[in-house]
Every structure is written in structure tokens, then in C-alpha cells.
Amino acid sequence: MKRSLSFRRRAYGAVMMFLMRLAVVIVCALAASLVAYVLWRGVPNITWELLSTKRSYANGTIGILPDILSTVYVVAASLAIVLPLGVGAAIYLNEYARSRRLVAVIEYAAETLSGIPSIIYGLVGMLFFCQFLNMKTSLLAGSLTLVIMNLPTVIRTTQESLRTVPAGLREGAFALGADKWRVIRTVVLPGSVPGIVAGCILSVGRILGESAALLFTAGFAHELYGFFEGMGSAGATLTVALYVYAKEEGEFGVAFAIAAILMALTLAVNFSAEAAGRALRKRSGQ
Amino acid sequence: MRWVFLLAGLTAVGFVALISVYLVVSGIPAMIEIGPAEFLFGTKWASTAEPPSFGILPFILTSVYGTAGAILLGVPVGFMAAVYLGKVAPQRVRSAAMAAVGLLAGIPSVVYGLVGMLVLLPAIRNVFGVPDGAGLLAAILVLSVMILPSIIKVSVTALEAVPKSYEDASLALGATPVETYMRVSVPAAKSGIAASVVLGVGRAIGEAMAVMMVAGNAPNMPSLFESVRFLTTAVASEMSYAGGLQRQALFSIALVLFLFIMLINAALNLLLKRGDAK
């Protein structure tokens, strides 16, 4: 059978196959070498002093503990706000909405939000939260900016998993006399946990990697604060700190140490996202 | 409770309105004061000179050329990889490669910028013998890697959704598997693949930090080896100290960028809708 193919067709097949394999090899090699290079340059620079102190100009030492804490605070604050909002929006779209046009408008808005570049979020966040609402440059303003950015993700993943809750379960609960809110609380929400978790993980990944939106909303101070004090003051997350150390100060050792930490976190986020995705698929397969 | 959920749903709409209104209201005044034609087509940006000149054509062209270059490099690689992963690859290879793609998508842009600064720029200096590696070429290379994940993920999804009966029919007519993928599956998935390219365009034109670290940031007209400034980096690089008309002009640049993005969003929606209709 293969023999009867003309030379041209065989050559076409071979060349295309080679190009496809080459492309996949390029992609995998890029990913692998990026991880390896960053870890190789960064890990030796991660010292206990770096992780556990704040920057001291007097001693000339650099520590990233404040940046780590700022990152944790921003992640926590953003999630605490975006989760209820996003899950609520998804529940409205999936359980309550009757007007098709309204659903289309909301979904279109969410899609638009997910396409807007982070530098524009940063700019509007600065104008609206920092100046108009007078929050100054603070972690709170940064977190709220990230809430807007991550809202579409949470809405989408929650919606996906709400769709996997069988209509029969809802109808059964209604038949037993439960009202809408009770059905949502006891049947729909528990069923959508995998989607909410997936949205959570994706948002954490995006927040950890975000820098342009935070530069002008959360600022780049390196001070140690508690949570509530920190929310009201400026602070750099790890990504912003990386940028400042690499671009403004030429401290490449510190920058690579932060990059290695971020790389490890990215890997962790990707693995957990995959696990959550598998759980979601398993449920929808049932 | 209904109203609480409705309110949550409407916040997304509210945010879009907020962003649009803020960008238009803060972006229009400077454009009018400078003169729309002079602003958009002026070739000289000297915001702190006396008298200042605010022409953003260099930024617009740099963004357009940079994005086009990234697409030119990234799309062939992403497309071929997507066909292999969506159609040819054994399960094991596929899941390993998709993990690599997911990783590329998750790496923070500042990390791309950092590696670009320390690996790419010296490499460009050595290979092309230029004094400074920072410039459009470096930005294009970094962007072409950064758009790969969007192109591959969306294209693979589109290719997997092609009905198997199309491919079976083609195989039964005597086409080889490779011919079937390239001439039946790919055309059948073309709106999804086109959407992936548009998504890549959006990513590339909106990227700020990685570009900021490798493009050099001088407001020159675009040229491969000279320091250049994109629309995004033009906003980011002066925002921290700008005041008065200069600051307002930065908002106008953001408005121009926003209009580009809206155009891209509209194209994306059109393509995806066409894909659904089939």
C-alpha cells in the first residue's frame, strides 16, 4: 500500500511529520531549559538569610521576607474577595438568570475582561482605587485590581462545574420542598467544589506571576508588616521585587533566587491545577 | 438571594464599564490638547523636553512590528506542534508535552524578562556584533515564546473537536494520515486555529514587563537592533514620575492600546462564534 504512493506524497508526509516532531521538541526543550537554567542560577542564591530577613541598607544585605509576606497577603486578600464574587456570578448565570440577553452581556463582559492586558488594569487600578477611592499605593489597592483581573477565571471554572451537577439532583431537592436558596446551598454548591478549587488554583498562579498590574497599585516597598497593617501600606510582591532587583538595581543573584522560587511555585500550581482538572473530569464523567 | 447573585453577576459588567470610562475620560483630553493627528502620527516622543513633543507613532509601529514578528516566529512552531499533539502523538508524549506547554504559560513574565536579559541579550550581541542586544529582535524572540502556549492550547482543542468521521472518510479515500490531518482536520478546525492566533496577537501586544526588560526602552522608530519602546512599556516606563500633560498623554497611549485590544477581542469573538455555528 505504502509502495504505491508517489514520491511526492511520501516526501510530503515525511517532511510534515519531521516538522511536527521538530516543533514539539522545540516547545519541550524551551520549557525544560528555562526551568533548568532558572533553577541552576537561582537555587544556589537562596539562603536562609535571604528568606528570613528584610533588606538592610546598614548591613548591605538583601532579604525578601517582606516580599514573600506581601505576596501571601495579596493572594489571600484577592481570593477572599474574588471567590464569593465569581462564584456568585456563576450561580446567577447558571441557576437564576432567565433573560438570555443578560447572560450574554455578562459573559461578554467577562470575556472582555480576560483579554485586557495587565498594564491597563494597573493603570485603571491606580486611577480608581489609589486616587479616586484614596487608598494610596497599597496592597489593598493591588489586591482589588487583581480581583477584577481574576474574576473571569473564577466565573468560568465555576460555571463549568455547575453544569456538571445533574438537573435530577436539583429537581429531587425541589420535590422535597426545598426552596431555591436551600437547593443551591445543599446540592449545587457542594457539587461545584472542584470547579471552585480549579478557579482558585488558576487565580493563585496568575496572581503569583503578575507584575505590571501591581507596579503602580501596590508599589515596591520592602517593609515588614502584619496583614492588616500591610494591606494599608505599599509593598512589592515577589514578581515586582524580581523586576526591581534585576532592572533597577542589577542584583541578578537575588533576582534569580526569586525567579527560582517563582518557578517552583509555578510548577506546584500547574501540578495542582492538573489534579483539580482530573477531579473535575472524573465527576463530569459520572 | 436572587438579587445578591444578580449583583455579583453584574460586577463583571460594571468593571468593564469602569475600565472603559476611566480610559476614555482620562485619555481623551491630552489627545485633544496635543492634536489627534500629531499625537497618533507624530514620530518624535520627547515628553520631558522643552517644548515637549508627544508623537506615539514609534510606539504604535513597534507594537505592531513586534507582534507581527512574534506571530511570524511563534505561529508556525505552535501550529505544527498543535497538529502533532492533537492528532498524532501517543497519549504519553501528549500529556508530557501539554505539561510543558502549561509550564510555559505559567512562568511569570518577569522571569522571561530576566532570562532574556541575561541569556538572549548577550547572545544577540555576540551573534550579530551589535553594541547592545536590547531591541526589537530580543522582544520578538521573547514574545514568540510567550505566545506559544495560547496558540498550542487553543489549536489542540479545536483540532480535537473535529468529527472523527471526516478523518475516516478521508482515510478511506486513500489519503495518508498526514495528508488527512493537514488537508481535512486543519481546514475543519480553521476558525479555532485562527482564534488561537488572534489570542496570541492579544498576548503579544499586551505584554509589558518582559518586553520592558529586553527592548531597551528608548523611543526610537522600530529597528531590530536598536532600543525601542512598545505601547505597553511607554505607559509603564514613565508613569512613576510623570505629571501634567505628560501623564495625561500616557493615559492616551493606554487608550490607544485599549482600542487595539477591543478590536482583537471583537475579531476573536467573531471567529469563535463562527466555530460554534458549524
Side-chain angles (χ1 to χ4, degrees), chain A residues 67 70-71 74 139 146 207-222 235-249 255 258 262, chain B residues 108 110-111 209 213:
Chain A
D67 311 325
S70 297
T71 311
V74 167
L139 290 185
L146 291 178
I207 297 170
L208 287 176
E210 188 46 57
S211 42
L214 288 170
L215 212 50
F216 305 115
T217 53
F220 26 86
H222 307 289
T237 62
L238 284 169
T239 37
V240 175
L242 191 169
Y243 172 76
V244 174
Y245 282 126
K247 188 82 175 48
E248 320 271 319
E249 313 198 11
I258 300 176
L262 286 172
Chain B
V110 283
V111 174
M209 301 311 274
M213 293 166 89

Side-chain angles (χ1 to χ4, degrees), chain A residues 3 21 23 58-59 76 94 103 128 132 155 157 174 186 200-201 209 221 239 250 272 275 279:
Chain A
R3 293 264 133 182
R21 292 220 166 93
N59 304 336
N94 216 52
V103 171
F128 184 68
F132 182 72
I155 294 181
T157 54
F174 281 128
T186 55
C200 227
I201 296 169
T239 37
S272 16

Side-chain angles (χ1 to χ4, degrees), chain A residues 15-74:
Chain A
V15 168
M16 280 301 167
M17 208 55 170
F18 171 74
L19 289 178
M20 284 194 249
R21 292 220 166 93
L22 182 69
V24 173
V25 168
I26 291 176
V27 171
C28 293
L30 272 172
S33 56
L34 266 170
V35 174
Y37 180 74
V38 167
L39 292 181
W40 171 64
R41 291 284 305 259
V43 169
N45 288 314
I46 302 176
T47 57
W48 179 243
E49 186 192 83
L50 183 78
L51 294 178
S52 63
T53 58
K54 69 172 193 164
R55 179 163 205 184
S56 158
Y57 289 97
N59 304 336
T61 58
I62 293 178
I64 57 168
L65 181 62
D67 311 325
I68 296 175
L69 287 179
S70 297
T71 311
V72 173
Y73 297 162
V74 167

